[in-house]
Amino acid sequence: MRRVVCPGSFDPVTNGHIDIIGRAARQNDEVIAAILNNVNKHGLFSVEEKLEMLAESTREFGNVRVAQFGGLLVDFCRENGVSAIVRSLRSVSDFDYELQIAQMNYQLSGVETLFMTANPQYSFLSSSLVKEVAQHGGDVSSLVTPFVEERLRAKYAARG
């Protein structure tokens, strides 16, 4: 069984994330969409909220499950029988950053990193950009699922 992981902060999950997860799901037996629980970083959404949004956004893929991890991704890979990490590349600058991480992960554990180029439709998309647009009342309906859009609107409405 080929099991891969698509790691991220998913704060929030975007259509770009879902595209990569779905493409990985078509090529592998199982995909774990894993949320990094970084206690030093406070996102807009809690880990529990992100898990809920990610599960709802990927439910159409029968071979995708969601999880969370803390610490090193390679430790999560070892503990879960993951053979490769799937990462998205939107630009050349992404590659420079991701290559260093991929090489470190391989050095630490032998776990491979597979790079997928972003769908051009989503190559500009980031969670930070989605949050900024949503915070100012902009239309994010083409950038996230309706479920995530609803959660964004509720989060910013509660903040006043």
Side-chain angles (χ1 to χ4, degrees):
M1 174 187 258
R2 183 160 171 96
R3 180 178 295 132
V4 299
V5 64
C6 291
S9 61
F10 302 109
D11 189 41
V13 60
T14 69
N15 288 343
H17 294 128
I18 296 165
D19 180 65
I20 293 295
I21 293 167
R23 288 163 55 197
R26 287 190 295 276
Q27 296 176 21
N28 296 280
D29 298 315
E30 183 179 17
V31 175
I32 304 171
I35 296 169
L36 171 61
N37 184 5
N38 185 345
V39 295
N40 297 322
K41 194 173 180 183
H42 298 288
L44 178 63
F45 294 99
S46 70
V47 171
E48 292 75 23
E49 290 170 317
K50 291 188 275 188
L51 284 166
E52 179 186 25
M53 289 186 291
L54 190 54
E56 176 64 25
S57 298
T58 59
R59 69 183 165 129
E60 70 183 89
F61 309 114
N63 61 337
V64 173
R65 69 178 168 99
V66 301
Q68 65 174 306
F69 72 97
L72 295 177
L73 178 58
V74 294
D75 291 338
F76 177 86
C77 291
R78 267 191 230 109
E79 293 163 7
N80 289 276
V82 170
S83 61
I85 301 163
V86 175
R87 298 293 295 171
S88 174
L89 298 175
R90 295 174 294 183
S91 65
V92 173
S93 61
D94 281 355
F95 179 75
D96 289 340
Y97 173 73
E98 293 291 345
L99 180 62
Q100 288 181 315
I101 295 171
Q103 290 172 332
M104 178 60 78
N105 286 337
Y106 187 79
Q107 176 68 29
L108 291 172
S109 68
V111 173
E112 296 285 353
T113 298
L114 306 174
F115 294 114
M116 284 189 167
T117 57
N119 180 326
Q121 181 179 357
Y122 305 120
S123 63
F124 67 93
L125 189 53
S126 70
S127 294
S128 297
L129 189 57
V130 167
K131 289 186 285 194
E132 186 173 343
V133 172
Q135 181 180 14
H136 297 288
D139 181 9
V140 295
S141 61
S142 66
L143 310 176
V144 297
T145 66
F147 185 80
V148 173
E149 180 182 19
E150 179 182 304
R151 295 302 186 276
L152 279 163
R153 299 275 177 238
K155 185 68 76 168
Y156 286 120
R159 289 184 162 201

